Amino acid sequence: MTINRRDILKGAAGSSVAIAGLNWSSLQAIAQQTKKNTLTWIWDVAYQNMNPAIANAAEAYVLGNVYETLFAYKDGKVLPKLATAWEGTEGGKTWTVKLREGVKFHDGSPMNSAAVKKSFEHTRDLGKGNSYLIAGLEHVDTPDEHTVLFRFKDVIAFDLVAGGSGFVIGPAGIDKGDEWLNQGNAIGTGPYKLTEFQQGKLIVLDKFEDYWGGWKSGQIDRVLHPYVAEMSTRIQMIRSGEASICPRIPASQMESLKTLSNVSVADIPSWRTQFYMINTHKYPTDNLKFRQALLSLWDHESVLKDIFHGIAKKPVGPVVSTMWGHGTYDVGTYDPQKALSLLEESGVPKKDWRIKALYYAGNQEQIDAIELFRANAEAVGLDVELELEAVATSYNAKARSPETTGHLNAMVNWPGYPSPQDFLGIFKGEEKPVWNFSYYHDEEYDRLVGEGFKLEGLDKDIAAKTYIAAQDRLMQNAVAIFYADVDRVVAYSSDIKGMEQANNPAYEWISLYSLSR
């Protein structure tokens, strides 16, 4: 899409809201270029890498509407998507996949076996993002235009893996390279084309007229997705009707928004979990009893009731309770006397009872919870220094460096595919920390998680037992404070239909295709 700058600037005077270098009148000018059913989706996420072969974080919120996977996952079942049929043979080492016919990429080229082969090999060879899930892919054969044979070195539950990750990228997009894709260019098969990308300012999605799923009256034609940093501004925009969707609103705002006739609030289960990773290598949290003391200083009841206001539940362990293969544990109970006893038993001198908690803005519940923890810790003589980073990128840089990392490092996690592996893989040993901000290293734990991944394709029940054995080791070593399994809370214009259907716990993104007016 080409945007005429004059058209954008015509209505700039009298703007009601300034948004990351744009203003509301600018957005309205874009929306009104054609008479379309336009939705404005506001958030505080500045996307970093838009290459779907690499991105495995917040970028999926957008990319999940632009690209598609071979399979889908919902309510415990693998369902057809770009594939219509599939079968695993050789114990799960070889997978034969039949592709949906008549599917086009956004550039008009056909989605066929050659395109799928090229996409999966490209993702594997880059070795980034979620590529580790298909690292054992040895060969991809294309016996005909709509059949693909995936041959793996080891057994793999490919239906699960490719039902959660593995976006299929148009061949022309791959040929143009990582830099071209990362700049916000995209060639997928999804219902929406990515037609405008201004880093840290604005994304525009337009419906793909030739989408294989077809279109019905009332579905969303255009999506404006501006970056809006301030929560107060986002709340103002959803209240006034200037915005259509505002995900992840603070729990404290839910009740007041529910009183508005023009706003609805959805409280939907998710697989998102929040925790603080405890640094197992940094003094004094390298001491097990010292770490165990921290678990007894976390007031789960107050956090869930007074901070999350009922939109989260107490975790049962590292894996959410709605996921197969989860263990069930006591993640901690607030007991300051027990905490004090453990601190004394740790042998750490009282003068060294001080730690740093590193976290980032944009998640108010996380901020409020760690401040409550600090107050509880001070009551038993433990000094907690709070270090807040304004954006996630600077937070990640500090957490990944042994020199600047915290004793407690904030984490919000969700799985890349429907398996305990993605909850547990974050604690696997890393030479240079990428996501293991607990700096935990246990060879037996790593082996168990790897074995569970292989067993998924053979026997899910045995895989579950292996994953639980890995979780046992995590809990015994007190590597994290697991404090909230969080629902997906979305405020949206009350004239929008289909929000419940648009949210699947298996995916972090909202399916814009499911929405209508």
Side-chain angles (χ1 to χ4, degrees):
M1 179 186 71
T2 301
I3 298 178
N4 188 312
R5 181 171 174 79
R6 292 180 185 174
D7 290 341
I8 294 176
L9 295 177
K10 277 181 184 176
S15 157
S16 59
V17 182
I19 306 170
L22 300 172
N23 58 48
W24 181 242
S25 295
S26 299
L27 292 177
Q28 286 183 318
I30 298 172
Q32 294 171 359
Q33 285 179 34
T34 56
K35 293 182 180 179
K36 292 187 174 184
N37 187 356
T38 300
L39 178 151
T40 302
W41 158 26
I42 54 175
W43 215 347
D44 63 335
V45 176
Y47 304 106
Q48 299 299 311
N49 193 324
M50 299 299 285
N51 182 345
I54 296 175
N56 66 343
E59 290 77 16
Y61 300 130
V62 172
L63 299 178
N65 289 286
V66 175
Y67 295 91
E68 293 179 301
T69 51
L70 293 176
F71 319 119
Y73 186 90
K74 190 172 185 179
D75 300 330
K77 296 179 180 179
V78 179
L79 304 172
K81 194 71 174 181
L82 292 179
T84 57
W86 55 94
E87 181 183 12
T89 56
E90 295 185 77
K93 288 186 178 182
T94 299
W95 290 79
T96 302
V97 176
K98 293 290 184 179
L99 300 177
R100 188 179 299 277
E101 298 185 24
V103 178
K104 295 180 181 179
F105 287 103
H106 296 157
D107 63 353
S109 62
M111 190 283 297
N112 54 26
S113 58
V116 171
K117 170 183 169 71
K118 185 167 186 171
S119 183
F120 272 83
E121 289 179 341
H122 170 69
T123 298
R124 176 201 61 191
D125 294 344
L126 277 178
K128 298 180 180 179
N130 285 331
S131 66
Y132 68 94
L133 294 172
I134 58 168
L137 180 60
E138 292 186 322
H139 301 289
V140 182
D141 299 324
T142 56
D144 62 54
E145 188 175 6
H146 296 104
T147 304
V148 191
L149 269 67
F150 295 88
R151 304 181 189 277
F152 292 88
K153 179 181 179 181
D154 297 308
V155 174
I156 182 174
F158 185 61
D159 52 347
L160 288 180
V161 169
S165 61
F167 289 131
V168 177
I169 310 168
I174 295 172
D175 291 341
K176 290 177 184 292
D178 174 50
E179 185 176 353
W180 186 82
L181 290 167
N182 191 31
Q183 289 172 350
N185 300 293
I187 303 176
T189 62
Y192 293 93
K193 298 183 295 182
L194 203 169
T195 51
E196 182 73 12
F197 180 79
Q198 299 179 36
Q199 178 80 48
K201 292 184 179 181
L202 174 69
I203 288 174
V204 179
L205 304 176
D206 280 296
K207 83 171 186 179
F208 177 37
E209 296 284 356
D210 290 333
Y211 181 56
W212 62 266
W215 294 91
K216 297 178 182 179
S217 175
Q219 286 183 277
I220 305 302
D221 297 316
R222 168 168 288 178
V223 179
L224 306 182
H225 184 31
Y227 173 79
V228 185
E230 292 296 326
M231 174 54 71
S232 59
T233 303
R234 298 198 296 277
I235 296 297
Q236 175 192 340
M237 291 177 70
I238 202 72
R239 282 178 170 272
S240 67
E242 292 176 318
S244 313
I245 294 181
C246 180
R248 223 163 66 206
I249 61 167
S252 59
Q253 296 286 338
M254 281 183 61
E255 294 306 316
S256 64
L257 288 173
K258 285 180 179 179
T259 65
L260 302 178
S261 60
N262 66 320
V263 178
S264 295
V265 179
D267 181 2
I268 302 163
S270 79
W271 286 346
R272 173 181 286 261
T273 183
Q274 293 186 197
F275 50 98
Y276 272 90
M277 303 182 92
I278 307 176
N279 194 319
T280 60
H281 275 203
K282 188 171 184 176
Y283 179 78
T285 50
D286 57 349
N287 181 296
L288 176 59
K289 287 197 173 183
F290 197 97
R291 296 197 301 273
Q292 290 172 335
L294 304 184
L295 304 186
S296 295
L297 288 172
W298 194 273
D299 188 347
H300 286 88
E301 183 178 351
S302 295
V303 168
L304 296 174
K305 179 183 177 183
D306 301 327
I307 294 177
F308 282 93
H309 299 278
I311 66 162
K313 56 183 177 293
K314 187 175 180 179
V316 297
V319 180
V320 295
S321 62
T322 51
M323 172 68 73
W324 66 273
H326 69 83
T328 302
Y329 308 91
D330 178 6
V331 297
T333 302
Y334 180 52
D335 186 340
Q337 187 55 51
K338 179 180 179 181
L340 180 59
S341 296
L342 285 166
L343 288 171
E344 292 171 342
E345 291 171 18
S346 73
V348 175
K350 195 164 186 178
K351 66 180 179 63
D352 293 337
W353 289 10
R354 78 178 52 241
I355 61 174
K356 179 175 77 173
L358 185 64
Y359 59 110
Y360 51 92
N363 188 325
Q364 190 58 50
E365 291 81 18
Q366 182 186 80
I367 294 171
D368 293 344
I370 197 64
E371 289 178 347
L372 175 61
F373 175 82
R374 177 176 64 174
N376 293 338
E378 286 179 348
V380 299
L382 173 64
D383 180 32
V384 181
E385 174 193 354
L386 301 184
E387 187 169 326
L388 175 67
E389 290 298 315
V391 295
T393 49
S394 59
Y395 163 79
N396 288 338
K398 283 196 171 183
R400 288 167 179 159
S401 169
E403 290 73 31
T404 57
T405 190
H407 297 89
L408 297 179
N409 293 307
M411 181 61 66
V412 178
N413 190 35
W414 61 89
Y417 79 108
S419 163
Q421 197 281 152
D422 258 16
F423 289 96
L424 303 177
I426 200 169
F427 292 99
K428 289 181 71 174
E430 299 173 330
E431 286 187 19
K432 292 184 178 179
V434 178
W435 295 115
N436 183 356
F437 298 159
S438 68
Y439 290 72
Y440 178 64
H441 182 70
D442 177 351
E443 290 184 0
E444 176 60 11
Y445 174 81
D446 293 353
R447 187 195 69 78
L448 286 167
V449 175
E451 187 68 16
F453 178 68
K454 293 178 182 178
L455 287 168
E456 286 178 1
L458 286 173
D459 190 318
K460 207 171 176 182
D461 291 336
I462 297 178
K465 291 178 181 178
T466 306
Y467 283 135
I468 289 171
Q471 293 167 66
D472 291 345
R473 298 184 74 85
L474 281 187
M475 299 306 296
Q476 291 163 5
N477 285 287
V479 300
I481 302 173
F482 300 102
Y483 66 88
D485 289 347
V486 190
D487 291 347
R488 185 177 298 154
V489 180
V490 183
Y492 61 100
S493 299
S494 56
D495 64 339
I496 294 176
K497 302 172 185 177
M499 188 58 72
E500 294 289 334
Q501 294 78 12
N503 284 271
N504 179 351
Y507 303 102
E508 271 298 290
W509 59 84
I510 296 172
S511 172
L512 301 171
Y513 181 72
S514 301
L515 303 178
S516 64
R517 280 196 174 99

